Amino acid sequence: ALENNVLDIFIAKAKVYNSKGNLLASVKKEIRGKTIDSHHSDHPANNIPFEVIMEETEKKHKNCCGLYAGDIVTFKTYYKGQPLSGGMLRVTTERGWSKTLVTSADGSASLELVRDSYSDETIGEGKRRKEGLLVEAGCTINESGIFKGEPYERIRYTTTFPLSFYQS
């Protein structure tokens, strides 16, 4: 979208749970609940201009099923493959808790996963309920150009990164 000389670019993101990056196989695994072939990306994709990734944690199951309230998670933002200083991150849980972070010189920002529920929520057979978390990253770049015949002076990128975690 183009408004007030600012080109807004929204980049959708999905978590892929296999080492080959096969989205169809990942969706099938998510539906079946099997993520044995999980793979954690530790670098940005070269063909995406603005990206946020989650760095590996100290935990054994770091990709899909091992995050808990109280864990420290670090996110990194990249612009054209390089770490982006001053990027904005907004982290929101499905229950409405949110926090805004600004990335440091190396493009990273960390936070402790919040426990925003204190009820004993199990979903049967002692399994705990997962809490949804959405990381929304954004930055504005002073770059001019033409979009559909209209000039712009800045580009505002926004991308999201969905996660889930368990209450401790």
Side-chain angles (χ1 to χ4, degrees), residues 89-130:
L89 296 175
R90 181 177 173 170
V91 181
T92 307
T93 67
E94 68 183 74
R95 295 177 190 260
W97 177 90
S98 68
K99 182 170 182 129
T100 301
L101 307 165
V102 178
T103 59
S104 62
D106 69 350
S108 67
S110 298
L111 83 145
E112 181 178 342
L113 293 176
V114 65
R115 179 178 180 138
D116 62 351
S117 170
Y118 290 91
S119 63
D120 180 24
E121 294 187 38
T122 58
I123 55 173
E125 299 181 23
K127 293 183 180 179
R128 292 185 178 245
R129 180 186 171 281
K130 280 187 178 181

Side-chain angles (χ1 to χ4, degrees), residues 24-89:
L24 181 57
S26 176
V27 170
K28 287 179 182 177
K29 285 182 180 196
E30 184 69 14
I31 291 169
R32 292 190 321 242
K34 296 180 180 178
T35 56
I36 293 170
D37 192 23
S38 293
H39 177 69
H40 182 85
S41 175
D42 59 356
H43 55 83
N46 291 331
N47 59 344
I48 299 175
F50 177 66
E51 185 171 19
V52 60
I53 64 171
M54 184 178 79
E55 291 192 323
E56 289 191 43
T57 65
E58 299 293 322
K59 296 216 156 218
K60 182 178 177 183
H61 301 286
K62 56 191 169 275
N63 294 320
C64 61
C65 54
L67 292 177
Y68 288 85
D71 288 349
I72 306 292
V73 292
T74 300
F75 301 97
K76 270 190 125 169
T77 56
Y78 292 88
Y79 176 66
K80 293 188 177 178
Q82 299 300 312
L84 178 70
S85 174
M88 299 294 290
L89 296 175

